[in-house]
Amino acid sequence: MVTVNMHDAKTRLSSLVEGLESGRENEIVLARNGKLVARLVPYSAPKRFGAAHHILAGLNLPETVEEFNAGDGEIAADFEVSGEQDIFP
């Protein structure tokens, strides 16, 4: 862990972030007047969708727009069939 005062952090922000990105540092603590006030840590994307995670976990969803647009026609076919049905018998 590296501790940096606020003035140095403002001056060296790019190099501090570079240290986090490269893995050279795993945490940088910022201090103001000798008091620890904040932590800089590498960003890691959330691995879950929060509450929707349980709903979406079993679905095989496309990962890219191209995959979504390519599709296999199943959903379009379902819409076509439902459009042919008489809604109001």
Side-chain angles (χ1 to χ4, degrees):
M1 173 179 79
V2 173
T3 302
V4 180
N5 71 44
M6 198 63 73
H7 177 73
D8 288 344
K10 285 196 268 185
T11 304
R12 301 178 23 212
L13 182 61
S14 291
S15 65
L16 293 172
V17 170
E18 193 175 288
L20 293 168
E21 288 174 323
S22 70
R24 191 171 63 244
E25 300 294 341
N26 61 358
E27 177 180 82
I28 297 168
V29 177
L30 302 180
R32 184 190 310 266
N33 299 324
K35 180 181 175 188
L36 306 181
V37 294
R39 288 184 323 133
L40 293 176
V41 295
Y43 175 78
S44 62
K47 294 176 178 50
R48 297 174 49 143
F49 290 102
H53 170 72
H54 299 291
I55 297 168
L56 301 174
L59 300 177
N60 184 16
L61 299 173
E63 294 184 17
T64 66
V65 172
E66 290 76 19
E67 287 178 14
F68 177 82
N69 289 337
D72 61 8
E74 258 184 67
I75 294 174
D78 287 345
F79 275 104
E80 289 170 12
V81 169
S82 67
E84 295 169 0
Q85 296 174 356
D86 189 6
I87 299 172
F88 304 103

